[in-house]
Amino acid sequence: MRARLNLVTTTLKYFSTHDAVSSSLSHFLDMLRLCRSDNLGLRDTIPNLYLRLHQDQKCYDFLKWYGTTGKTDNRSWSDPSLGYLDLEDQDPMESEGLEDMFCDEWSVAHTVPALLIKLRLLLDLKDFKASFELYALVEKGKLNPDIVRTIQDHIYLRSSILSTPSSASSGDDGTDRSRSRARDLLKRQGLEERIAELERQTHKLFMSMYEANQHFWEALLEWEAYMDEPVETYSHGSLEEVVVLILNNARSWDETVGALEWVEEKVDGLYFDGAEDPDEVRLLLSQLDSEMR
């Protein structure tokens, strides 16, 4: 198991291709199958690989299992007859149970990828909202509606939850549910409410992570500087924990268009919300610079 871990770790360090990430995920999932108790902590690395492969739904199902059954069920991990990672097609928009699943200090390793899943949805829905606003020009006769539909057909989707691979077979129940969910999420009706709900959830997860480790978000903005930092042990809330979290999550965030820009805006908000006086802003900047040093 250690040899396979070293193989995957080395592969991911030097290669970022789809094949390298896919092979690494296959190794880790098989290692979990062989050792459900996961003494190597693979469950903290696997979500990043799912997200890098744009398998957001599988990632959310994985996270939710560990945030529910895997957290509360006092099972015998050595009993292969018990269900394991058996949740499918869970609702990534759900807010019920959010705090229990992802908002305590023992869940920080899964708070970060859970937030990214919801952030991808949020950013995509905002793009679609902007495209729907073009219909105001259509109603005035200044724009052809076919142009708006063409624009929507070519919007880049960060979240695979909103798109179904063209290779997926029709008639499959899971595929049909996915298509139905994507259509419902992208409907114009209720779109603003869905955006508001995702903004609430992403803010909650962002603040939960900040409260658990105040160093993480700023470090994520400079993630490349931490990729070669050695860490043997760490405690919750420490800088060492930050390094581990960045190693496990940074690439999926960097590969998501607009994600780090969103983090930067949220970090700025932590320091400047309510700071209207210029002298107060300068003081906050000075304090921030001292903390970073």
Side-chain angles (χ1 to χ4, degrees):
M1 297 287 275
R2 290 281 179 183
R4 291 180 78 176
L5 176 62
N6 291 336
L7 169 66
V8 173
T9 302
T10 303
T11 298
L12 292 173
K13 182 177 181 179
Y14 293 105
F15 300 98
S16 292
T17 64
H18 181 278
D19 286 347
V21 177
S22 179
S23 174
S24 297
L25 177 59
S26 296
H27 271 294
F28 278 172
L29 290 175
D30 188 53
M31 291 164 70
L32 273 186
R33 178 185 64 82
L34 295 171
C35 182
R36 291 185 175 189
S37 59
D38 188 25
N39 59 308
L40 296 176
L42 304 179
R43 62 187 177 276
D44 295 343
T45 302
I46 286 173
N48 176 60
L49 303 182
Y50 271 130
L51 290 171
R52 294 187 68 188
L53 294 169
H54 298 282
Q55 297 180 18
D56 297 39
Q57 184 63 60
K58 289 184 177 180
C59 184
Y60 188 75
D61 294 341
F62 181 94
L63 293 170
K64 184 173 179 179
W65 189 91
Y66 272 108
T68 53
T69 305
K71 180 183 288 187
T72 60
D73 190 4
N74 295 321
R75 62 179 52 215
S76 171
W77 290 100
S78 60
D79 186 351
S81 67
L82 296 175
Y84 182 62
L85 295 176
D86 51 1
L87 293 181
E88 292 183 358
D89 201 36
Q90 300 299 296
D91 182 8
M93 287 283 298
E94 64 188 352
S95 59
E96 184 177 353
L98 192 68
E99 291 188 19
D100 292 336
M101 287 191 287
F102 306 124
C103 294
D104 64 68
E105 67 173 338
W106 304 105
S107 303
V108 293
H110 286 179
T111 303
V112 180
L115 171 50
L116 184 56
I117 291 171
K118 293 175 180 290
L119 178 60
R120 285 178 171 182
L121 285 169
L122 173 61
L123 296 175
D124 285 346
L125 293 188
K126 282 186 170 182
D127 287 345
F128 265 85
K129 179 177 180 292
S131 73
F132 280 125
E133 290 171 357
L134 293 173
Y135 279 108
L137 296 177
V138 174
E139 293 169 359
K140 294 178 181 179
K142 296 182 178 180
L143 191 65
N144 189 312
D146 290 340
I147 294 177
V148 179
R149 286 190 285 270
T150 300
I151 290 172
Q152 291 179 331
D153 288 342
H154 289 82
I155 290 177
Y156 170 74
L157 293 175
R158 304 163 183 84
S159 174
S160 59
I161 291 168
L162 296 176
S163 62
T164 302
S166 58
S167 60
S169 59
S170 60
D172 177 80
D173 289 343
T175 300
D176 290 343
R177 284 195 300 271
S178 297
R179 287 175 175 156
S180 177
R181 173 173 291 159
R183 285 194 298 268
D184 289 343
L185 288 172
L186 293 173
K187 283 180 180 177
R188 189 175 186 179
Q189 182 179 5
L191 184 59
E192 290 190 7
E193 290 77 6
R194 290 191 291 278
I195 289 173
E197 174 61 23
L198 283 170
E199 286 185 328
R200 186 191 70 79
Q201 291 184 28
T202 52
H203 178 73
K204 187 176 191 64
L205 291 171
F206 176 88
M207 291 306 301
S208 175
M209 186 65 233
Y210 178 73
E211 291 165 6
N213 192 316
Q214 296 187 9
H215 310 289
F216 174 73
W217 291 119
E218 288 180 47
L220 182 61
L221 296 174
E222 305 292 337
W223 65 272
E224 290 177 296
Y226 296 87
M227 296 301 285
D228 293 321
E229 292 289 331
V231 175
E232 295 183 2
T233 60
Y234 66 91
S235 58
H236 288 296
S238 67
L239 286 170
E240 290 77 16
E241 181 186 46
V242 167
V243 175
V244 173
L245 289 169
I246 285 179
L247 289 174
N248 288 343
N249 294 282
R251 292 196 182 277
S252 56
W253 281 78
D254 182 61
E255 293 166 5
T256 300
V257 176
L260 292 180
E261 289 79 2
W262 180 88
V263 171
E264 188 170 14
E265 289 182 7
K266 298 294 283 187
V267 169
D268 287 345
L270 290 173
Y271 290 96
F272 303 122
D273 277 353
E276 299 178 357
D277 181 69
D279 290 334
E280 186 178 355
V281 173
R282 281 192 289 271
L283 177 61
L284 288 169
L285 281 170
S286 176
Q287 292 173 344
L288 174 58
D289 184 62
S290 298
E291 289 176 10
M292 295 184 69
R293 291 175 185 276

